[in-house]
Amino acid sequence: MSPAPESKQDRRPPYQHAADELRRDILKGRIKPGEQMPSIRELQERFGVANMTARGALNVLRDEGLIYTIHGRGSFVADHDAAGEFSAGYTPPAWYLANRDKTPPQAEQMEGSPDGSEATGAILTEMLTALRDELRSLSADHQELRREVEELKSQQSKSQS
C-alpha cells in the first residue's frame, strides 16, 4: 500500500492518517484477529513517516483496544466476533462510527462528479464537527481527572503530615 493521499483540507497529524488506514485494514479483515501487525520499520516505509509517528499510530489503535502488544514480540490484532464487534472493550471514535460507511472525501473528489466538492465539504464539515465535539468532551473529562488527582494528592499530603 502507498501512503495516504495528502489533502490540503485534512490537517490531521500523520500518525492519525496511518492509524486510520490501519484501522480500516483491521475492520475490513485485511489484517485478521490474532495476526501480527506490521513492524515499526514496515509502517515507516508504508506511510513514509518517522519511527515515533509509526509508534504513535500503533498507540492510537492500542488505546482503542483494536490491538495489543506483547513486549519483545510485537503488536497483534485483538479478537472480535463474526459480526466484527471487538470483544476487547474496543470503542471506536465517535467520528469514525458516524462516518465509517461514507466514501472517503478523496475518493469522492476523484470520481469527478460536478457536485463532488459540495459533498466533500459537507462530509468534512460533519466529521470535523463530530471530532470537535469529541475533543471537547475528552478535554472536560481530562480536566475533571486532573482536579481529582490534585485533590487526592492534597489529601495524601495532609494525611502524611
Side-chain angles (χ1 to χ4, degrees):
M1 294 240 156
S2 60
E6 293 295 321
S7 170
K8 291 181 181 179
Q9 295 177 349
D10 192 352
R11 297 176 188 257
R12 293 176 300 147
Y15 78 90
Q16 194 64 54
H17 286 281
D20 289 348
E21 192 165 324
L22 291 169
R23 183 185 302 108
R24 224 175 278 120
D25 287 349
I26 292 168
L27 295 176
K28 291 189 182 237
R30 291 186 204 118
I31 307 174
K32 304 208 180 321
E35 282 186 19
Q36 187 166 5
M37 293 294 292
S39 69
I40 297 293
R41 181 166 294 179
E42 291 169 332
L43 293 176
Q44 285 178 263
E45 292 172 9
R46 176 178 171 182
F47 297 109
V49 297
N51 179 295
M52 291 305 294
T53 304
R55 288 180 188 279
L58 290 179
N59 286 338
V60 167
L61 298 176
R62 187 177 310 105
D63 291 345
E64 293 175 3
L66 271 175
I67 65 171
Y68 61 93
T69 300
I70 300 174
H71 184 70
R73 301 234 9 246
S75 297
F76 300 84
V77 177
D79 291 333
H80 57 79
D81 61 22
E85 297 297 321
F86 282 80
S87 56
Y90 174 66
T91 305
W95 62 267
Y96 182 79
L97 287 173
N99 297 290
R100 66 178 162 190
D101 296 327
K102 294 181 181 177
T103 305
Q106 294 87 356
E108 283 187 13
Q109 278 182 327
M110 290 187 289
E111 289 175 6
S113 62
D115 60 341
S117 61
E118 289 178 26
T120 299
I123 290 172
L124 284 174
T125 300
E126 285 179 40
M127 290 176 76
L128 289 172
T129 301
L131 274 170
R132 182 199 64 211
D133 294 344
E134 189 169 346
L135 283 172
R136 285 179 178 167
S137 172
L138 289 171
S139 179
D141 292 346
H142 180 252
Q143 292 301 319
E144 180 63 28
L145 287 172
R146 288 183 81 178
R147 279 188 223 107
E148 289 178 19
V149 166
E150 289 303 317
E151 186 178 313
L152 289 170
K153 283 180 179 179
S154 69
Q155 287 175 0
Q156 185 178 22
S157 65
K158 287 178 185 177
S159 68
Q160 291 178 350
S161 300

